[in-house]
Amino acid sequence: MARSSQPDPPAFAEPLHVGRPNIGDRDRLMARITQMLDNRWLTNRGPFVREFEAKVADYCDVKHAIAMCNGTVALEIGIRALGLTGEVIVPSFTFVATAHALQWQEITPVFCDVDPVTCTIDPARIEQLITPRTTGIIGVHLWGQACDVDAIEAIATRHRLKVLYDAAHALGCSHRGQVIGGFGDAEVLSFHATKFLNTFEGGAVLTNDDSLAERIRLMQNFGFQGYDNVIDIGTNGKMAEICAVMGLTNFESIDEFMAVNRRNYELYRAGLANIPGLRVRAYDGRERHNRQYVIVDVDAEAAGITRDALVAQLQAENVLCRRYFHPGCHRMEPYRSYFPNAGLLLPVTEALSERIFSLPTGTAVSTSDVARVVDLVQRMTDRARAERSPAARVA
Ligand code: T4K
């Protein structure tokens, strides 16, 4: 139904952000902070970090979870501990941290296109990119959608490559009923403030491989084995106690976070379902999924409005939706300069990154917020299509 003739409601007084943190019970958070201060143990794998690591490992059904200061350092350490060098195959359709974690260590990210349905690295394209310098594959479980882990494993086995998954978005998601965390040689989580479960800043490397876990622990703590004994090069990737305190508290509310995300997602999906040219990305109902990213795909022709115009109009109304992920990493520096023609091999990435955007969700977004956003989108698209109609053009 066209609503553009009715007066527009006022813009959101407060910005409605993508990425507003989910925050668990404040009293329990404060009680833990008090305990932490009483402990006078603030970092270097204190009791809260150890408890958090055990919680993550249990939740993700994996043997080892090594908590880190953030997801990017977790990726860097995971890459180094796996001995990756030379070239690593990675999607361009991801947050730039995935590529930077390689380039930071002078490993060349070789950008691979994604599957148009799953939006994750396309196994059919991986083999074409393997050279004698290739040492590994990094798949990204984008928006919590699992990669085709079986096909990737088969390729990796054939070519003796290591496999690391960037699971920054995927806490609480499953693949064929198996919780994400134990696939490949290792997986990396992010607990950044904007993530489904946050520790302010934070990350983790997950693995079932005992010796890899030991290497990662050494690397994240300067290479120390016991007091005064440094046995290898390392860095400082440790998570602070206060971060683990936040993580443990948020874990207690994780089912509520998931339920709220599911509620918001269903409201968006139903509300936007009848708008021509807009499609809320579907998630496989048979899998567990955190629904932290509500992704809208815009077909500009059918919607009568481009993705960028719609995003700009929403932002002008204080709905701070984001173009996650635009542009592809290959269009960002330094990759744009290094590989100016990379886009020729990335047609799906190029097309997707021009079409998608993400809407605000999480526990800071109420049902009435979602209804207002839906109403705004309806008005904007109605108006755009009316302006494009032949009658409007003649007038
Ligand atoms: N791999 C993947 C696939 C990733 O998506 C990420 C991070 C990583 C690896 C690396 O993990 P970390 O090293 O970050 O642990 C944000 C996050 O900073 C980043 O963690 C995240 N992905 C990425 C998708 O989003 P920006 O540059 O978009 O952040 P910013 O400052 O624009 O904030 C995003 C939105 O969140 C805004 O609408 C504001 C809102 N926000 C943000 C913060 C920090 C809040 O409402 N409250 C807050 O406290 O990267």
Side-chain angles (χ1 to χ4, degrees):
M1 187 185 68
R3 304 181 200 182
S4 40
S5 53
Q6 297 165 18
D8 282 354
F12 280 83
E14 292 292 326
L16 196 66
H17 285 278
V18 163
R20 266 277 188 259
N22 290 325
I23 300 173
D25 187 277
R26 285 176 195 219
D27 292 339
R28 301 186 74 137
L29 178 67
M30 296 308 167
R32 282 196 172 97
I33 291 174
T34 302
Q35 175 70 57
M36 178 196 77
L37 296 175
D38 289 347
N39 289 348
R40 289 189 186 264
W41 195 279
L42 305 184
T43 185
N44 289 13
R45 206 142 184 269
F48 285 111
V49 164
R50 274 183 274 132
E51 187 183 344
F52 181 67
E53 287 182 336
K55 180 77 204 167
V56 174
D58 180 55
Y59 192 80
C60 297
D61 197 16
V62 68
K63 217 164 159 190
H64 305 279
I66 300 121
M68 298 274 178
C69 53
N70 61 57
T72 305
V73 168
L75 278 170
E76 288 168 7
I77 292 178
I79 287 164
R80 198 171 176 121
L82 282 169
L84 302 186
T85 57
E87 295 175 1
V88 170
I89 298 170
V90 64
S92 171
F93 193 46
T94 176
F95 188 62
V96 73
T98 324
H100 278 354
L102 291 163
Q103 190 64 49
W104 192 252
Q105 307 184 71
E106 299 188 5
I107 300 166
T108 304
V110 175
F111 293 120
C112 184
D113 215 356
V114 291
D115 177 275
V117 176
T118 65
C119 302
T120 62
I121 194 165
D122 185 349
R125 303 270 162 270
I126 292 175
E127 250 166 334
Q128 301 160 357
L129 301 173
I130 294 174
T131 74
R133 298 188 69 228
T134 309
T135 55
I137 302 165
I138 299 184
V140 180
H141 303 310
L142 198 78
W143 310 315
Q145 163 72 52
C147 295
D148 186 346
V149 294
D150 295 335
I152 293 170
E153 189 183 322
I155 295 167
T157 307
R158 255 196 316 277
H159 297 271
R160 296 168 179 269
L161 302 175
K162 301 284 186 191
V163 179
L164 179 66
Y165 287 108
D166 179 339
H169 304 167
L171 183 76
C173 301
S174 68
H175 175 62
R176 297 204 181 132
Q178 185 180 334
V179 65
I180 287 176
F183 293 113
D185 292 289
E187 304 214 45
V188 167
L189 296 173
S190 164
F191 303 116
H192 181 261
T194 56
K195 293 297 185 295
F196 174 55
L197 181 131
N198 84 84
T199 59
F200 304 116
E201 288 269 6
V205 186
L206 313 182
T207 183
N208 286 311
D209 179 332
D210 296 342
S211 62
L212 181 64
E214 203 180 312
R215 261 198 316 283
I216 290 168
R217 283 210 185 283
L218 276 175
M219 282 183 177
Q220 79 153 180
N221 189 27
F222 314 104
F224 271 109
Q225 191 178 64
Y227 289 136
D228 308 330
N229 186 27
V230 172
I231 63 165
D232 205 349
I233 187 165
T235 184
N236 183 353
K238 290 171 277 122
M239 176 180 272
E241 285 286 274
I242 185 97
C243 297
V245 156
M246 182 68 157
L248 285 165
T249 308
N250 286 337
F251 250 118
E252 289 165 353
S253 298
I254 200 164
D255 292 340
E256 181 205 326
F257 299 164
M258 205 173 267
V260 169
N261 276 1
R262 183 174 282 269
R263 176 201 73 194
N264 287 350
Y265 173 82
E266 295 303 337
L267 287 173
Y268 275 127
R269 206 162 143 78
L272 299 176
N274 294 322
I275 300 181
L278 296 198
R279 189 176 60 85
V280 176
R281 195 189 145 67
Y283 292 112
D284 185 340
R286 292 165 301 181
E287 304 288 357
R288 264 175 78 81
H289 198 283
N290 61 38
R291 288 169 170 69
Q292 179 70 0
Y293 293 91
V294 178
I295 304 295
V296 183
D297 182 301
V298 183
D299 174 347
E301 196 52 45
I305 188 167
T306 63
R307 182 274 311 266
D308 288 351
L310 185 56
V311 166
Q313 287 186 22
L314 284 166
Q315 289 184 343
E317 298 290 331
N318 245 344
V319 179
L320 301 185
C321 47
R322 296 294 296 264
R323 296 182 302 177
Y324 286 149
F325 289 98
H326 168 95
C329 296
H330 67 286
R331 288 184 175 271
M332 296 178 170
E333 292 295 356
Y335 315 108
R336 185 172 52 191
S337 298
Y338 291 166
F339 319 113
N341 299 320
L344 296 173
L345 288 178
L346 302 167
V348 180
T349 300
E350 295 272 59
L352 279 172
S353 61
E354 292 301 322
R355 296 168 63 105
I356 45 86
F357 72 99
S358 82
L359 284 167
T361 189
T363 50
V365 177
S366 68
T367 54
S368 60
D369 290 335
V370 175
R372 284 178 67 191
V373 173
V374 166
D375 183 52
L376 276 171
V377 173
Q378 178 86 59
R379 286 167 188 277
M380 288 165 184
T381 49
D382 283 351
R383 196 172 296 142
R385 281 196 313 281
E387 283 167 7
R388 279 200 181 180
S389 71
R393 269 190 238 124
V394 169

